Amino acid sequence: MDKEKKDIILYNVRQFLNENQELKDMNIHCLIVDKNNSKNGIAIASNEEYIVAIDIENYECEYSQEWDYDIDMNIFRHLENGMNIEFITPQYHSIIWKKIESYEFIDGIFHKEGMQKYLEYCKDEEITQEFLEEECDTELTDVMKYSNDYIADNNGVMEMSRGKYQEENEIHYIAFTLGYDLINEMLTRPDTADPLECDIAYDFCDYLARKFIKTDYYKDMKHSTYEMLQEWVNDNQEIIQSEYLCYSHKDNKCIIETGKRNNEPVSLVEHCFKDGTKEYIVAFNYKVSNEKVDWGYGYYYGDDLKKAKEDFEKVKAGGNLADTFKENKEEKSVMEDNSSKLQFYDEKEIRNIITNKEELYFADDGIDEVIIKLDDIPDFIVDINRKQGLVDLKFYKMGNDLYQPDITTMGEYLDKVKPEIREKIIDRLVKLQTGEIEPKEYKLIDENEFDDIKIKMEKEMNRKVKNKKNREDR
């Protein structure tokens, strides 16, 4: 399900809860939706007294108390019957983990395929015992031991499921075949890259083997594993070569996918930087040499992989990205559309804010940025969304070296937020969302004006220091 559809469903459920006196204090903890019918789904919300399952089509509610809440019927059954998890909080994960462990025998769970699907989701999303214990301030047992993919070191003895054992054996065979046969020349030829140490070369082959078993090549039962592995290597030579260059630290650009627009070679490239950030490029007339990945010209997407993939598909279908980029430049941000309605601090006020070292954040709607005080963020989130409909926002603390959001929203509701920031804003935000209070008048800071004033103040300070020094010298 795409993000926009998910946001609309969550927004409608939140509105439903707000309109019902007995439900308005509940928080949404989970959303599962039929992969073939987005109208068929269940939202889970709770307060300190009840857990309620809400049918997202007709808004019928089923109430339970936590002590008798049945995850087998309420979650695993739906997952087994084709629904997918679209949204879930750490708190609800914690409830599920405790319920799984409370079964005296794991065989007591009837919908085992649904449970395995849930555990696979936890694995893919890196939901771990340590993460949940920290997020929820509780103690849990690691229920991932019930996963078919479970593997662990028990006092030096490796434990794993039978399916996992068989898969690992297959991976070892594929990695061995790659290293000693199909890509041996790449691994040992000095002009390709500096030859890797044996253990690192094996790790690279192991990475390729795990990648291969997820492909349709491996799933082809009409041919042997060796035949399909050989075909996969031949069909993906440039991708594998680029991955090897990255693995051997010869280059930092890796090809994700290749194709053609008419007869022109085109690829989707991931460019990794030393600070951990990534940039995605749709690259035309690309080439993979023994030293690096290069291209004639390209379109750059920052870290927006989803948009890069969408445009890459357009290119393979013969589309022209120049028109797409022109359309993007003509888009207007929510903040730009409302610039006449928003209030901004004047120079004198900005000077006071800088002098007082107030906690400031960049507010980003995906196109434009303004600067806002931390105390005003709850009012800004609710105000913008009620005036413009669903608006997803990101907030970045000013002065951080790493440019990652400290707060993200889905409409007027928090998506992800650092715990220490949440504690400062959540009470007011909930009161605004429930209508207990109205948004106050707030002001924003123009980013360019802020920079100009800050530079001006620094020059003034330098001038004062210089004049003071001159007077002391005289």
Side-chain angles (χ1 to χ4, degrees):
M1 172 178 288
D2 62 46
K3 188 174 185 302
E4 184 177 357
K5 285 184 180 179
K6 178 184 72 177
D7 289 350
I8 290 171
I9 293 173
L10 289 170
Y11 181 81
N12 289 338
V13 172
R14 183 69 260 172
Q15 291 296 101
F16 168 74
L17 294 174
N18 289 344
E19 290 167 3
N20 289 269
Q21 188 63 35
E22 61 180 11
L23 302 176
K24 65 188 303 183
D25 67 333
M26 288 193 166
N27 293 315
I28 303 171
H29 287 294
C30 183
L31 174 66
I32 52 176
V33 180
D34 191 323
K35 62 183 179 183
N36 298 317
N37 179 8
S38 61
K39 292 182 180 179
N40 181 26
I42 303 293
I44 308 293
S46 72
N47 56 17
E48 293 183 357
E49 190 173 359
Y50 291 107
I51 297 174
V52 59
I54 305 163
D55 187 311
I56 64 172
E57 183 173 13
N58 55 34
Y59 291 95
E60 291 182 355
C61 297
E62 183 177 325
Y63 294 83
S64 303
Q65 291 184 312
E66 186 172 333
W67 64 269
D68 71 342
Y69 184 63
D70 188 348
I71 57 168
D72 197 17
M73 290 298 294
N74 286 289
I75 295 296
F76 299 157
R77 173 170 62 99
H78 295 305
L79 294 178
E80 193 168 296
N81 291 331
M83 290 193 182
N84 292 327
I85 297 173
E86 299 294 343
F87 169 77
I88 187 168
T89 64
Q91 290 72 26
Y92 194 64
H93 275 300
S94 175
I95 290 173
I96 295 175
W97 281 45
K98 288 177 180 177
K99 288 290 183 179
I100 291 176
E101 194 56 32
S102 70
Y103 281 84
E104 185 174 357
F105 302 103
I106 202 66
D107 288 341
I109 293 178
F110 183 74
H111 299 283
K112 291 183 176 59
E113 288 185 18
M115 184 185 77
Q116 289 301 324
K117 187 174 178 180
Y118 167 74
L119 294 175
E120 184 178 351
Y121 175 90
C122 290
K123 177 186 174 184
D124 292 342
E125 298 298 320
E126 298 182 353
I127 305 300
T128 64
Q129 176 187 0
E130 294 77 13
F131 167 77
L132 292 177
E133 287 182 339
E134 182 176 346
E135 286 290 312
C136 304
D137 192 23
T138 188
E139 292 186 3
L140 296 169
T141 300
D142 187 4
V143 302
M144 296 305 293
K145 65 187 177 184
Y146 300 120
S147 167
N148 287 338
D149 288 335
Y150 174 71
I151 179 168
D153 184 345
N154 184 8
N155 295 323
V157 179
M158 298 308 295
E159 294 181 348
M160 64 181 73
S161 67
R162 179 177 298 177
K164 186 65 176 176
Y165 177 78
Q166 293 171 341
E167 181 183 289
E168 288 298 313
N169 276 345
E170 183 81 340
I171 288 170
H172 291 325
Y173 161 73
I174 294 167
F176 180 87
T177 304
L178 287 166
Y180 284 92
D181 184 1
L182 298 180
I183 65 167
N184 179 262
E185 185 178 356
M186 178 189 298
L187 297 173
T188 58
R189 197 175 67 205
D191 60 333
T192 300
D194 296 333
L196 298 178
E197 297 290 338
C198 288
D199 56 341
I200 301 176
Y202 178 80
D203 288 343
F204 178 64
C205 292
D206 182 75
Y207 156 75
L208 291 178
R210 294 177 189 280
K211 185 177 179 181
F212 169 68
I213 65 170
K214 295 178 182 178
T215 67
D216 290 335
Y217 292 84
Y218 178 70
K219 296 171 186 175
D220 187 336
M221 296 291 104
K222 296 179 181 179
H223 300 85
S224 70
T225 298
Y226 180 86
E227 288 174 319
M228 296 315 300
L229 178 61
Q230 187 176 40
E231 185 176 333
W232 178 73
V233 169
N234 290 337
D235 290 347
N236 293 275
Q237 283 182 349
E238 293 171 322
I239 294 175
I240 293 171
Q241 171 78 357
S242 74
E243 291 179 318
Y244 179 69
L245 291 172
C246 286
Y247 216 85
S248 59
H249 305 295
K250 198 79 173 179
D251 194 12
N252 60 352
K253 299 180 292 297
C254 181
I255 296 175
I256 299 173
E257 190 177 346
T258 61
K260 285 191 175 181
R261 185 180 66 177
N262 302 322
N263 290 321
E264 185 179 23
V266 60
S267 66
L268 179 59
V269 177
E270 180 182 80
H271 188 181
C272 300
F273 298 97
K274 290 182 179 179
D275 63 359
T277 58
K278 296 179 180 180
E279 176 183 50
Y280 297 96
I281 306 111
V282 174
F284 293 81
N285 292 319
Y286 72 92
K287 292 181 181 179
V288 184
S289 70
N290 292 332
E291 300 293 327
K292 65 178 181 177
V293 176
D294 207 351
W295 52 87
Y297 67 98
Y299 290 88
Y300 296 77
Y301 295 82
D303 62 356
D304 192 347
L305 176 58
K306 181 181 178 182
K307 177 61 177 169
K309 283 185 173 180
E310 289 174 358
D311 280 4
F312 184 70
E313 293 302 318
K314 290 179 185 177
V315 166
K316 291 194 295 182
N320 187 347
L321 294 189
D323 296 334
T324 303
F325 271 68
K326 184 178 178 182
E327 290 169 7
N328 288 345
K329 288 179 181 178
E330 291 173 354
E331 290 180 2
K332 286 188 175 182
S333 73
V334 172
M335 290 178 279
E336 185 180 349
D337 286 342
N338 287 278
S339 58
S340 60
K341 303 173 187 176
L342 298 173
Q343 297 184 58
F344 287 82
Y345 287 105
D346 60 28
E347 180 173 345
K348 182 179 179 181
E349 292 170 321
I350 294 173
R351 283 175 173 269
N352 287 333
I353 289 170
I354 294 173
T355 302
N356 295 332
K357 298 180 179 179
E358 297 196 38
E359 190 170 349
L360 301 175
Y361 288 76
F362 290 110
D364 184 351
D365 67 357
I367 299 174
D368 203 4
E369 283 187 343
V370 292
I371 298 171
I372 187 170
K373 292 182 180 181
L374 175 64
D375 293 344
D376 295 330
I377 287 178
D379 300 85
F380 178 73
I381 292 171
V382 173
D383 186 45
I384 286 290
N385 275 275
R386 292 185 180 175
K387 287 177 179 175
Q388 291 296 315
L390 283 172
V391 181
D392 295 339
L393 298 167
K394 294 180 180 179
F395 296 87
Y396 302 80
K397 187 172 181 179
M398 291 186 68
N400 279 357
D401 294 332
L402 192 60
Y403 195 65
Q404 291 183 345
D406 298 273
I407 307 169
T408 60
T409 70
M410 295 190 303
E412 64 181 65
Y413 301 99
L414 295 178
D415 177 23
K416 295 179 181 177
V417 59
K418 291 185 176 180
E420 64 272 17
I421 299 175
R422 183 183 186 279
E423 188 175 339
K424 295 177 182 178
I425 66 173
I426 191 62
D427 288 344
R428 181 167 184 83
L429 182 59
V430 170
K431 289 179 181 178
L432 288 163
Q433 291 167 344
T434 57
E436 185 176 336
I437 58 175
E438 291 297 318
K440 67 183 180 183
E441 288 191 5
Y442 57 86
K443 289 184 179 182
L444 306 171
I445 303 173
D446 180 90
E447 186 179 358
N448 293 327
E449 186 175 4
F450 182 86
D451 289 340
D452 290 343
I453 293 172
K454 191 171 182 180
I455 291 171
K456 192 187 297 185
M457 291 177 68
E458 287 173 353
K459 287 181 178 178
E460 291 171 357
M461 179 58 68
N462 289 337
R463 204 159 39 241
K464 287 181 181 178
V465 171
K466 187 176 180 180
N467 291 339
K468 181 179 179 183
K469 189 176 186 304
N470 289 338
R471 287 195 301 271
E472 290 174 349
D473 291 343
R474 288 198 296 268

